[in-house]
Amino acid sequence: MRNIKIIIEYDGAKFSGWQYQKNARTVQDEIQRSIFAITQETVRVNGAGRTDAGVHARGQVGNFRIEKPIADFELQKGLNAVLPHDVRIRSLEQAPDEFHARFSAKERRYRYYLNPGSLAIGRQYSWFYPHPLDLGIMNESAKIILGDHSFQAFCSAAAEVNHYLCRVNHAEWFVREPHIIFDIRANRFLHNMVRSLTGTMIELGRGRLSLNDFQSILESRIRKLAKYTAPAAGLILEEVVF
């Protein structure tokens, strides 16, 4: 039995997230059904990140095991032929037997895209936010979250996790016309964590919160204090590092 690694791109607008849900359209389910259509094998596709409803991915990574002796190129071609147009397999290759998309990953990278001006093309992949922002103080708050912290205050109250500790390796706001981008890399992310951080930092950039407020919210571990959550459409899972 072969262990197959795939890199996946998808437009999350019409998905209820990555993970399979009964009576909902999910990326995991679409890929699993497509694998069955090509191989007649029922498999489980492990994902490196469980993206929320409406969140997109350019570099999601998955793995699954099959017995059918089909060439990697032919399998990738076949999957892309039967998958819906909002999901693409960017690459496919055999991986070592011990490889697991979720547990082997060392770092995930997300970017949140703000659109300060009105766009016609690409507007569905960013949040139109025309208000002026102080990126300097927003980057000061980004420095606060570097390293190991509990992100319980920035996590969905319904998240089913054993702990809330994450190690943030990089966090930065910058401008790349026509967008303002929040780039963040960490060993793991909690449900709604990036969107909650983004929304709270934007309130800071608007002058509605202070750095002390932000620090207090982080240290409080109280979800209701971080009450600003950015919309899903601007968030993209860009890369997974192994």
Side-chain angles (χ1 to χ4, degrees), residues 58-76:
R58 258 190 283 262
Q60 173 72 285
V61 176
N63 80 289
F64 58 92
R65 298 177 187 275
I66 58 169
E67 294 183 357
K68 190 175 181 68
I70 179 173
D72 294 349
F73 171 78
E74 292 297 330
L75 181 56
Q76 180 182 355

Side-chain angles (χ1 to χ4, degrees), residues 2-5 66 69-79 91-95:
R2 294 188 298 147
N3 189 17
I4 302 297
K5 173 188 175 183
I66 58 169
I70 179 173
D72 294 349
F73 171 78
E74 292 297 330
L75 181 56
Q76 180 182 355
K77 181 180 177 182
L79 290 175
S91 71
L92 184 151
E93 63 182 355
Q94 185 167 335

Side-chain angles (χ1 to χ4, degrees), residues 11-191:
D11 180 333
K14 295 182 179 180
F15 285 103
S16 296
W18 162 266
Q19 192 170 9
Y20 172 81
Q21 301 173 46
K22 189 176 182 180
N23 300 321
R25 184 175 186 245
T26 67
V27 182
Q28 184 185 44
D29 188 45
E30 290 283 9
I31 297 173
Q32 288 174 173
R33 290 195 293 110
S34 298
I35 294 169
F36 181 81
I38 299 297
T39 67
Q40 282 68 63
E41 296 180 43
T42 300
V43 305
R44 176 182 174 84
V45 178
N46 305 303
R50 297 177 180 177
T51 52
D52 301 337
V55 175
H56 316 292
R58 258 190 283 262
Q60 173 72 285
V61 176
N63 80 289
F64 58 92
R65 298 177 187 275
I66 58 169
E67 294 183 357
K68 190 175 181 68
I70 179 173
D72 294 349
F73 171 78
E74 292 297 330
L75 181 56
Q76 180 182 355
K77 181 180 177 182
L79 290 175
N80 281 330
V82 298
L83 279 165
H85 293 306
D86 48 3
V87 185
R88 295 289 91 185
I89 306 300
R90 293 177 52 191
S91 71
L92 184 151
E93 63 182 355
Q94 185 167 335
D97 188 63
E98 66 273 14
F99 175 81
H100 190 286
R102 180 182 176 189
F103 299 121
S104 299
K106 299 184 182 301
E107 183 180 79
R108 286 89 172 161
R109 179 180 192 175
Y110 281 90
R111 279 185 172 178
Y112 196 95
Y113 292 81
L114 286 181
N115 169 24
S118 183
L119 293 177
I121 298 173
R123 66 193 182 282
Q124 65 270 45
Y125 307 113
S126 60
W127 180 17
F128 175 49
Y129 197 86
H131 308 290
L133 294 170
D134 182 346
L135 293 189
I137 197 168
M138 291 163 72
N139 271 317
E140 288 301 311
S141 68
K143 292 176 184 176
I144 289 173
I145 65 172
L146 294 176
D148 295 315
H149 299 279
S150 168
F151 285 89
Q152 187 170 358
F154 298 99
C155 172
S156 169
E160 298 178 359
V161 293
N162 295 325
H163 66 89
Y164 299 91
L165 185 67
C166 302
R167 178 179 298 112
V168 175
N169 301 319
H170 176 83
E172 178 187 16
W173 286 90
F174 63 92
V175 176
R176 180 176 293 168
E177 296 290 351
H179 297 111
I180 298 172
I181 300 172
F182 178 45
D183 183 66
I184 182 167
R185 304 197 307 265
N187 67 326
R188 67 194 289 256
F189 288 93
L190 306 173
H191 184 214

